[in-house]
Amino acid sequence: MTDVARLAGVSHQTVSRVLNGHPNVREQTRLRVRAAIAELGYRPNGAARALVTGRSQVIGVVAQNTTLYGPASLLAALEQTAAAEGFAVSVGSVRDLDHRSISAAVERHLAHRVAGIVVIAPVESAGEALERLPKDVPLVTVDGDPHRPVPLVTVDQVAGARAVTQHLLDAGHRTVWHVSGPSDWFDSAGRIEGWREALLAAGVEPPPLMHGDWSAASGYRCGQMLARMPEVTAIFTANDHLALGVLRALHEFGRKVPAEISVVGFDDVPEAAYFIPPLTTVRPDFDAVARASLQMLLTQIESGNGGGALRQTIAPTLVARDSVAPPGR
């Protein structure tokens, strides 16, 4: 920084003000400092800044080591959003989202003086660990337990499931069968709730629930059972990979989609538009979730306080494609 100041003909403090975006610097001086920075290839020392300020420009993220589309997409969106705000992201991947694993990952982040922490916590086992974390740590959970007093940003799973179930009812189907995700996932519970709400509001008793595990193989097994049932004309799967397995099973049993059975999913994976037929699904706005999470976290960082029981819910979007038609079309 001293070399930059010497080349630009300004003080060390002026260089610091330019680097921190301080408004009280003349534009001509700012441009001269920026030119010196570019010529010298200067980069601020993040470690030194952390020693002075007590925190770094790094946000710690705790996430399960998974390739599932939803959590992976959230992580990518968080990294991009943080970069736009001048923060790097350090990811602490854990095998299990339990108390011991989450606590250990958080302690590692705190040891590196991260500015704040985001925990992608979509399963029940994460809840107790989050409540036991230090209250003065800036913290936001994503897709966590809505019944616990920790800051939370989440997709409105209930509204998304309600909308896609209603879409099938509006197409003329008398009922809708549901292939769920794992029972310990909040996403799965919300989608079951939305499906049931839509059916009951229409005066329809929900049929028996089919239990899946997010995988295409699980969807295939459930689809083999549903394909044998002539009364089944509409299926809502809790994610698009389950839908892919269901479509394969229906094809093998000679059940035509959507002429005989309509199928819908959730997540809008990039391949959903290229399924046969293209899949009607629900698109969560992962970018909006990331923006809301980071803004909630930055508010805590700037105030120096924990977030209390803040809540923000992001509405998803129904994406209608060719896998839905009136029954017996």
Side-chain angles (χ1 to χ4, degrees):
M1 191 181 291
T2 301
D3 293 337
V4 171
R6 184 181 301 114
L7 181 59
V10 299
S11 68
H12 179 281
Q13 290 82 357
T14 298
V15 176
S16 178
R17 284 195 290 269
V18 171
L19 289 170
N20 289 301
H22 199 283
N24 295 332
V25 180
R26 289 190 303 170
E27 187 61 24
Q28 185 177 1
T29 302
R30 191 185 307 278
L31 292 173
R32 196 162 68 246
V33 171
R34 288 294 180 190
I37 288 171
E39 182 176 338
L40 294 174
Y42 170 75
R43 292 181 178 85
N45 188 323
R49 179 178 292 180
L51 289 172
V52 173
T53 64
R55 65 175 175 86
S56 66
Q57 291 296 109
V58 178
I59 290 172
V61 175
V62 179
Q64 193 170 24
N65 185 14
T66 178
T67 58
L68 286 172
Y69 178 74
S73 297
L74 275 170
L75 182 56
L78 280 168
E79 289 180 313
Q80 293 170 2
T81 304
E85 294 288 340
F87 285 84
V89 167
S90 173
V91 180
S93 296
V94 296
R95 179 175 298 177
D96 300 302
L97 284 170
D98 55 20
H99 173 65
R100 176 179 294 179
S101 301
I102 291 177
S103 297
V106 168
E107 286 301 322
R108 289 194 297 272
H109 283 317
L110 294 178
H112 288 89
R113 295 189 177 185
V114 295
I117 296 174
V118 176
V119 182
I120 301 176
V123 296
E124 292 178 359
S125 59
E128 182 182 355
L130 294 174
E131 281 195 7
R132 292 186 180 181
L133 295 179
K135 301 302 181 186
D136 59 342
V137 175
L139 171 75
V140 172
T141 60
V142 177
D143 283 350
D145 188 344
H147 303 297
R148 292 185 182 268
V150 292
L152 172 67
V153 178
T154 185
V155 172
D156 194 335
Q157 312 290 346
V158 176
R162 196 164 49 225
V164 78
T165 303
Q166 188 62 51
H167 183 67
L168 289 166
L169 295 174
D170 291 344
H173 296 277
R174 300 178 67 179
T175 192
V176 177
W177 292 71
H178 182 47
V179 180
S180 76
S183 59
D184 61 338
W185 280 64
F186 300 118
D187 290 2
S188 178
R191 294 169 196 181
I192 292 171
E193 183 180 345
W195 163 71
R196 283 184 170 147
E197 281 185 6
L199 292 180
L200 292 173
V204 177
E205 182 66 26
L209 187 66
M210 309 290 289
H211 296 280
D213 64 6
W214 297 136
S215 70
S218 175
Y220 178 72
R221 290 190 294 271
C222 292
Q224 287 178 310
M225 290 183 280
L226 292 167
R228 292 183 171 94
M229 302 164 62
E231 68 271 26
V232 175
T233 68
I235 303 170
F236 163 38
T237 64
N239 77 348
D240 294 346
H241 289 102
L242 286 166
L244 180 61
V246 166
L247 289 171
R248 169 69 182 270
L250 295 176
H251 172 75
E252 289 182 355
F253 275 80
R255 302 291 300 273
K256 293 181 174 58
V257 179
E260 295 179 54
I261 299 181
S262 292
V263 178
V264 300
F266 205 112
D267 278 346
D268 195 26
V269 300
E271 301 83 6
Y274 301 95
F275 287 6
I276 301 177
L279 185 68
T280 293
T281 185
V282 177
R283 179 185 299 152
D285 192 339
F286 295 120
D287 290 337
V289 171
R291 288 193 300 271
S293 302
L294 192 64
Q295 189 56 56
M296 190 179 290
L297 189 65
L298 291 177
T299 299
Q300 295 179 52
I301 292 169
E302 294 303 322
S303 68
N305 298 319
L310 298 172
R311 294 285 186 276
Q312 190 162 346
T313 304
I314 307 298
T317 303
L318 175 67
V319 181
R321 297 194 179 101
D322 298 339
S323 63
V324 174
R329 186 182 65 175

